[in-house]
């Protein structure tokens, strides 16, 4: 195990978050000290990329289980004969909007949202498709003191209404192209309130929690004022200096901390097929 320990190399991206991890074979269960090192790197860098990992779905789920509980997604159907792994995919011929192009923390409208999301590159186009991650701890720490104090008392209302309800942007399940999204009436509208500024449960560091795709208001604040505050905050959260643009490769696994970053998908790979396998942990 000591030999393995010496081999783990964590290379920071140079951006506000993100690091590449080499020297581990994720298809095998990790030793306790290796899990500790990965978790420490994860809490430090928020987004970890592991290139050149050959994983089948059982191995992917086994790796994810080392960091939390697996649970079924509220609005995705899993892959056939699976319970916890879903495909995020787009066929070369799809012309509909890019899935998940608004900043968000995954399923933040749940009472207990997933702590982490894991995506594995199955079919990766030669161009485009970067995932943008924005470090919300640095984003919060960079705010003026007056704004920090004002925002810390606020509770934000997270909802699936704008995205997964019958009237939401994914409400018409016939228009998703390759994405296997559940019919909206299966899950209904999920809504929950969370502190706008979250104290990270493992590090104690404060950060803005969640993004514009799921936050619909602020508790006890008039709608017009809340929307103005949220629009300003959303613009601030996506400031370039807070953003890491993750490039994808086939057989790359990326894991991120939903408690400290928001993320969004990007396009730029028209005419190419793209598929990733996704697991969330709680």
């Amino acid at each position: 195990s000591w030999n393995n320990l010496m081999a783990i190399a964590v290379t920071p991206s140079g951006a506000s978050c993100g690091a590449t991890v080499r020297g581990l074979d994720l298809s095998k269960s990790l030793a306790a000290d290796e899990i500790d090192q990965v978790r420490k790197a994860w809490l430090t860098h928020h987004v970890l990329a592991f290139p050149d990992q050959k994983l089948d779905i059982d191995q992917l789920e086994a790796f994810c289980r080392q960091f939390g509980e697996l649970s079924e997604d509220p609005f995705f159907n899993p892959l056939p004969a699976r319970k916890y792994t879903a495909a995020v995919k787009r066929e070369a011929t799809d012309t509909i909007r890019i899935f998940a192009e608004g900043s968000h923390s995954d399923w933040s409208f749940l009472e207990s949202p997933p702590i982490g999301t894991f995506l594995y590159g199955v079919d990766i186009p030669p161009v485009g498709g970067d995932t943008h991650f924005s470090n919300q701890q640095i984003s919060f720490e960079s705010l003026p003191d007056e704004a920090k104090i004002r925002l810390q008392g606020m509770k934000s209302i997270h909802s699936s209404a704008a995205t997964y309800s019958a009237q939401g942007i994914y409400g018409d399940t016939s228009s998703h192209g390759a994405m296997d999204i559940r019919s909206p009436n299966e899950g209904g509208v999920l809504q929950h309130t969370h502190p706008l500024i979250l104290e990270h449960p493992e590090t104690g560091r404060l950060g803005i929690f969640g993004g514009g795709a799921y936050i619909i208001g602020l508790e006890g604040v008039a709608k017009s004022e809340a929307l103005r505050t949220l629009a300003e905050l959303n613009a601030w959260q996506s400031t370039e200096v807070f953003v890491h643009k993750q490039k994808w490769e086939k057989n790359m696994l990326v894991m991120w901390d939903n408690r400290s970053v928001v993320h969004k998908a990007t396009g730029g790979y028209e005419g190419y097929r793209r598929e990733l396998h996704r697991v969330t942990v709680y």
Side-chain angles (χ1 to χ4, degrees):
S1 172
W2 179 246
N3 288 340
N4 283 351
L5 212 56
M6 300 299 286
I8 300 175
V10 179
T11 310
S13 69
S16 71
C17 55
T20 300
V21 182
R22 289 186 169 85
L24 288 173
D25 179 355
L26 306 188
S27 70
K28 300 178 169 63
S29 58
L30 301 183
D33 48 12
E34 292 170 333
I35 294 171
D36 286 347
Q37 278 205 82
V38 171
R39 182 173 282 281
K40 191 174 171 194
W42 194 34
L43 293 173
T44 303
H45 300 289
H46 315 282
V47 182
L48 299 181
F50 300 81
D52 305 318
Q53 299 288 340
K54 290 255 174 48
L55 302 175
D56 63 27
I57 295 169
D58 287 333
Q59 292 165 335
L60 172 63
E61 290 185 359
F63 174 73
C64 298
R65 270 198 184 87
Q66 295 170 111
F67 298 92
E69 300 282 321
L70 273 49
S71 183
E72 293 176 67
D73 282 321
F75 294 113
F76 286 171
N77 287 313
L79 288 163
R82 306 303 308 195
K83 202 172 172 185
Y84 304 120
T85 302
V88 176
K89 62 183 176 177
R90 187 177 176 90
E91 299 299 348
T93 52
D94 280 358
T95 54
I96 52 158
R97 68 188 296 164
I98 297 291
F99 178 73
E101 59 184 353
S103 285
H104 61 287
S105 178
D106 281 329
W107 305 144
S108 64
F109 43 71
L110 296 177
E111 182 176 1
S112 300
I115 60 173
T117 302
F118 298 70
L119 267 188
Y120 179 68
V122 177
D123 197 3
I124 302 298
V127 291
D130 293 0
T131 303
H132 290 195
F133 293 95
S134 182
N135 183 332
Q136 291 312 296
Q137 294 177 342
I138 293 178
S139 175
F140 174 73
E141 289 158 4
S142 304
L143 284 166
D145 286 346
E146 173 275 323
K148 282 187 199 160
I149 293 161
R150 186 166 55 90
L151 297 175
Q152 263 184 271
M154 292 184 169
K155 285 196 176 333
S156 50
I157 304 161
H158 297 244
S159 170
S160 65
T163 44
Y164 294 102
S165 73
Q167 293 75 39
I169 56 175
Y170 308 123
D172 175 5
T173 50
S174 66
S175 68
H176 302 325
M179 287 297 299
D180 191 2
I181 294 173
R182 283 186 194 154
S183 160
N185 51 14
E186 287 179 49
V189 172
L190 300 177
Q191 186 165 306
H192 205 78
T193 304
H194 297 291
L196 182 59
I197 307 304
L198 181 74
E199 182 180 327
H200 195 288
E202 292 187 68
T203 65
R205 201 169 163 190
L206 296 176
I208 302 164
F209 178 64
Y214 293 146
I215 300 178
I216 61 163
L218 298 168
E219 198 170 72
V221 179
K223 192 160 185 66
S224 58
E225 188 192 333
L227 292 178
R228 189 170 63 247
T229 300
L230 291 168
E232 286 173 9
L233 197 59
N234 212 29
W236 174 259
Q237 286 178 290
S238 53
T239 306
E240 198 77 7
V241 70
F242 308 139
V243 174
H244 160 56
K245 297 173 181 176
Q246 179 66 55
K247 294 213 170 307
W248 284 94
E249 299 165 10
K250 185 179 169 63
N251 298 333
M252 173 183 274
L253 178 101
V254 175
M255 63 187 284
W256 65 86
D257 189 339
N258 279 300
R259 302 163 295 184
S260 58
V261 297
V262 291
H263 65 282
K264 66 178 182 182
T266 65
Y269 53 92
E270 290 72 17
Y272 291 102
R273 187 181 190 280
R274 185 174 183 269
E275 179 174 354
L276 304 105
H277 287 170
R278 170 182 146 138
V279 180
T280 48
V281 304
Y282 292 77

